[in-house]
PDB file of all heavy atoms in Angstrom:
ATOM      1  N   GLU A 275      30.751  -5.239  -1.747  1.00 98.00           N
ATOM      2  CA  GLU A 275      31.559  -4.142  -2.279  1.00 98.00           C
ATOM      3  C   GLU A 275      30.724  -3.200  -3.140  1.00 98.00           C
ATOM      4  O   GLU A 275      30.837  -1.972  -3.021  1.00 98.00           O
ATOM      5  CB  GLU A 275      32.724  -4.706  -3.115  1.00 98.00           C
ATOM      6  CG  GLU A 275      33.764  -5.476  -2.327  1.00 98.00           C
ATOM      7  CD  GLU A 275      33.304  -6.875  -1.935  1.00 98.00           C
ATOM      8  OE1 GLU A 275      32.298  -7.368  -2.520  1.00 98.00           O
ATOM      9  OE2 GLU A 275      33.936  -7.480  -1.053  1.00 98.00           O
ATOM     10  N   ARG A 276      29.869  -3.770  -3.974  1.00 98.00           N
ATOM     11  CA  ARG A 276      29.047  -2.930  -4.858  1.00 98.00           C
ATOM     12  C   ARG A 276      28.011  -2.139  -4.046  1.00 98.00           C
ATOM     13  O   ARG A 276      27.712  -0.993  -4.371  1.00 98.00           O
ATOM     14  CB  ARG A 276      28.370  -3.806  -5.914  1.00 98.00           C
ATOM     15  CG  ARG A 276      27.673  -3.048  -7.043  1.00 98.00           C
ATOM     16  CD  ARG A 276      28.626  -2.229  -7.891  1.00 98.00           C
ATOM     17  NE  ARG A 276      29.626  -3.009  -8.564  1.00 98.00           N
ATOM     18  CZ  ARG A 276      29.459  -3.609  -9.743  1.00 98.00           C
ATOM     19  NH1 ARG A 276      28.307  -3.520 -10.386  1.00 98.00           N
ATOM     20  NH2 ARG A 276      30.454  -4.276 -10.302  1.00 98.00           N
ATOM     21  N   ARG A 277      27.480  -2.732  -2.995  1.00 98.00           N
ATOM     22  CA  ARG A 277      26.534  -2.012  -2.129  1.00 98.00           C
ATOM     23  C   ARG A 277      27.210  -0.801  -1.488  1.00 98.00           C
ATOM     24  O   ARG A 277      26.628   0.295  -1.439  1.00 98.00           O
ATOM     25  CB  ARG A 277      25.986  -2.937  -1.042  1.00 98.00           C
ATOM     26  CG  ARG A 277      25.041  -4.023  -1.551  1.00 98.00           C
ATOM     27  CD  ARG A 277      24.742  -5.081  -0.491  1.00 98.00           C
ATOM     28  NE  ARG A 277      24.052  -6.204  -1.086  1.00 98.00           N
ATOM     29  CZ  ARG A 277      22.777  -6.530  -0.857  1.00 98.00           C
ATOM     30  NH1 ARG A 277      22.061  -5.825  -0.005  1.00 98.00           N
ATOM     31  NH2 ARG A 277      22.235  -7.562  -1.467  1.00 98.00           N
ATOM     32  N   ASN A 278      28.432  -1.012  -1.000  1.00 98.00           N
ATOM     33  CA  ASN A 278      29.165   0.101  -0.374  1.00 98.00           C
ATOM     34  C   ASN A 278      29.469   1.197  -1.393  1.00 98.00           C
ATOM     35  O   ASN A 278      29.346   2.395  -1.097  1.00 98.00           O
ATOM     36  CB  ASN A 278      30.460  -0.408   0.254  1.00 98.00           C
ATOM     37  CG  ASN A 278      30.209  -1.308   1.454  1.00 98.00           C
ATOM     38  OD1 ASN A 278      29.161  -1.210   2.106  1.00 98.00           O
ATOM     39  ND2 ASN A 278      31.140  -2.207   1.749  1.00 98.00           N
ATOM     40  N   GLN A 279      29.864   0.776  -2.596  1.00 98.00           N
ATOM     41  CA  GLN A 279      30.135   1.753  -3.651  1.00 98.00           C
ATOM     42  C   GLN A 279      28.873   2.544  -3.991  1.00 98.00           C
ATOM     43  O   GLN A 279      28.929   3.768  -4.164  1.00 98.00           O
ATOM     44  CB  GLN A 279      30.651   1.036  -4.906  1.00 98.00           C
ATOM     45  CG  GLN A 279      32.032   0.424  -4.778  1.00 98.00           C
ATOM     46  CD  GLN A 279      32.370  -0.466  -5.967  1.00 98.00           C
ATOM     47  OE1 GLN A 279      31.657  -0.468  -6.985  1.00 98.00           O
ATOM     48  NE2 GLN A 279      33.444  -1.235  -5.852  1.00 98.00           N
ATOM     49  N   LEU A 280      27.762   1.841  -4.090  1.00 98.00           N
ATOM     50  CA  LEU A 280      26.502   2.493  -4.443  1.00 98.00           C
ATOM     51  C   LEU A 280      26.123   3.538  -3.407  1.00 98.00           C
ATOM     52  O   LEU A 280      25.766   4.676  -3.749  1.00 98.00           O
ATOM     53  CB  LEU A 280      25.393   1.445  -4.576  1.00 98.00           C
ATOM     54  CG  LEU A 280      23.985   1.975  -4.890  1.00 98.00           C
ATOM     55  CD1 LEU A 280      23.983   2.777  -6.176  1.00 98.00           C
ATOM     56  CD2 LEU A 280      22.989   0.821  -4.968  1.00 98.00           C
ATOM     57  N   LEU A 281      26.204   3.173  -2.137  1.00 98.00           N
ATOM     58  CA  LEU A 281      25.849   4.124  -1.083  1.00 98.00           C
ATOM     59  C   LEU A 281      26.792   5.318  -1.087  1.00 98.00           C
ATOM     60  O   LEU A 281      26.349   6.476  -0.976  1.00 98.00           O
ATOM     61  CB  LEU A 281      25.866   3.428   0.282  1.00 98.00           C
ATOM     62  CG  LEU A 281      25.456   4.289   1.474  1.00 98.00           C
ATOM     63  CD1 LEU A 281      24.037   4.843   1.291  1.00 98.00           C
ATOM     64  CD2 LEU A 281      25.541   3.493   2.772  1.00 98.00           C
ATOM     65  N   ASN A 282      28.094   5.076  -1.236  1.00 97.00           N
ATOM     66  CA  ASN A 282      29.072   6.174  -1.239  1.00 97.00           C
ATOM     67  C   ASN A 282      28.840   7.129  -2.402  1.00 97.00           C
ATOM     68  O   ASN A 282      28.872   8.364  -2.234  1.00 97.00           O
ATOM     69  CB  ASN A 282      30.499   5.617  -1.299  1.00 97.00           C
ATOM     70  CG  ASN A 282      30.909   4.934  -0.006  1.00 97.00           C
ATOM     71  OD1 ASN A 282      30.369   5.235   1.057  1.00 97.00           O
ATOM     72  ND2 ASN A 282      31.854   4.012  -0.080  1.00 97.00           N
ATOM     73  N   ILE A 283      28.586   6.576  -3.588  1.00 97.00           N
ATOM     74  CA  ILE A 283      28.371   7.436  -4.756  1.00 97.00           C
ATOM     75  C   ILE A 283      27.077   8.231  -4.617  1.00 97.00           C
ATOM     76  O   ILE A 283      27.024   9.421  -4.941  1.00 97.00           O
ATOM     77  CB  ILE A 283      28.370   6.590  -6.043  1.00 97.00           C
ATOM     78  CG1 ILE A 283      29.802   6.151  -6.374  1.00 97.00           C
ATOM     79  CG2 ILE A 283      27.765   7.355  -7.212  1.00 97.00           C
ATOM     80  CD1 ILE A 283      29.919   5.221  -7.543  1.00 97.00           C
ATOM     81  N   CYS A 284      26.035   7.583  -4.122  1.00 96.00           N
ATOM     82  CA  CYS A 284      24.768   8.304  -3.932  1.00 96.00           C
ATOM     83  C   CYS A 284      24.914   9.407  -2.888  1.00 96.00           C
ATOM     84  O   CYS A 284      24.293  10.479  -3.001  1.00 96.00           O
ATOM     85  CB  CYS A 284      23.656   7.326  -3.536  1.00 96.00           C
ATOM     86  SG  CYS A 284      23.056   6.311  -4.922  1.00 96.00           S
ATOM     87  N   GLN A 285      25.744   9.183  -1.859  1.00 96.00           N
ATOM     88  CA  GLN A 285      26.004  10.238  -0.876  1.00 96.00           C
ATOM     89  C   GLN A 285      26.766  11.391  -1.508  1.00 96.00           C
ATOM     90  O   GLN A 285      26.441  12.568  -1.294  1.00 96.00           O
ATOM     91  CB  GLN A 285      26.779   9.654   0.310  1.00 96.00           C
ATOM     92  CG  GLN A 285      25.929   8.765   1.218  1.00 96.00           C
ATOM     93  CD  GLN A 285      26.745   8.064   2.293  1.00 96.00           C
ATOM     94  OE1 GLN A 285      27.964   7.943   2.200  1.00 96.00           O
ATOM     95  NE2 GLN A 285      26.063   7.568   3.318  1.00 96.00           N
ATOM     96  N   GLN A 286      27.787  11.055  -2.300  1.00 96.00           N
ATOM     97  CA  GLN A 286      28.570  12.098  -2.962  1.00 96.00           C
ATOM     98  C   GLN A 286      27.718  12.904  -3.935  1.00 96.00           C
ATOM     99  O   GLN A 286      27.866  14.120  -4.049  1.00 96.00           O
ATOM    100  CB  GLN A 286      29.745  11.464  -3.714  1.00 96.00           C
ATOM    101  CG  GLN A 286      30.808  10.845  -2.819  1.00 96.00           C
ATOM    102  CD  GLN A 286      31.776   9.969  -3.599  1.00 96.00           C
ATOM    103  OE1 GLN A 286      31.826   9.999  -4.827  1.00 96.00           O
ATOM    104  NE2 GLN A 286      32.558   9.153  -2.876  1.00 96.00           N
ATOM    105  N   GLU A 287      26.832  12.219  -4.629  1.00 95.00           N
ATOM    106  CA  GLU A 287      25.991  12.872  -5.638  1.00 95.00           C
ATOM    107  C   GLU A 287      24.712  13.457  -5.048  1.00 95.00           C
ATOM    108  O   GLU A 287      23.923  14.066  -5.768  1.00 95.00           O
ATOM    109  CB  GLU A 287      25.626  11.869  -6.743  1.00 95.00           C
ATOM    110  CG  GLU A 287      26.802  11.347  -7.533  1.00 95.00           C
ATOM    111  CD  GLU A 287      27.448  12.424  -8.390  1.00 95.00           C
ATOM    112  OE1 GLU A 287      26.715  13.318  -8.871  1.00 95.00           O
ATOM    113  OE2 GLU A 287      28.675  12.384  -8.566  1.00 95.00           O
ATOM    114  N   GLN A 288      24.503  13.233  -3.730  1.00 94.00           N
ATOM    115  CA  GLN A 288      23.257  13.654  -3.071  1.00 94.00           C
ATOM    116  C   GLN A 288      22.043  13.131  -3.842  1.00 94.00           C
ATOM    117  O   GLN A 288      21.087  13.848  -4.124  1.00 94.00           O
ATOM    118  CB  GLN A 288      23.200  15.175  -2.938  1.00 94.00           C
ATOM    119  CG  GLN A 288      24.277  15.738  -2.012  1.00 94.00           C
ATOM    120  CD  GLN A 288      24.123  17.214  -1.775  1.00 94.00           C
ATOM    121  OE1 GLN A 288      23.831  17.982  -2.692  1.00 94.00           O
ATOM    122  NE2 GLN A 288      24.315  17.636  -0.535  1.00 94.00           N
ATOM    123  N   LEU A 289      22.132  11.838  -4.153  1.00 96.00           N
ATOM    124  CA  LEU A 289      21.091  11.164  -4.916  1.00 96.00           C
ATOM    125  C   LEU A 289      20.359  10.194  -3.996  1.00 96.00           C
ATOM    126  O   LEU A 289      20.890   9.152  -3.626  1.00 96.00           O
ATOM    127  CB  LEU A 289      21.714  10.404  -6.093  1.00 96.00           C
ATOM    128  CG  LEU A 289      20.773   9.654  -7.037  1.00 96.00           C
ATOM    129  CD1 LEU A 289      19.881  10.642  -7.793  1.00 96.00           C
ATOM    130  CD2 LEU A 289      21.576   8.804  -8.024  1.00 96.00           C
TER     131      LEU A 289
END
Side-chain angles (χ1 to χ4, degrees):
E275 293 76 16
R276 190 64 61 85
R277 290 169 190 249
N278 292 335
Q279 291 170 11
L280 178 58
L281 182 59
N282 290 336
I283 286 175
C284 285
Q285 287 173 342
Q286 292 167 13
E287 297 292 327
Q288 295 186 318
L289 181 66

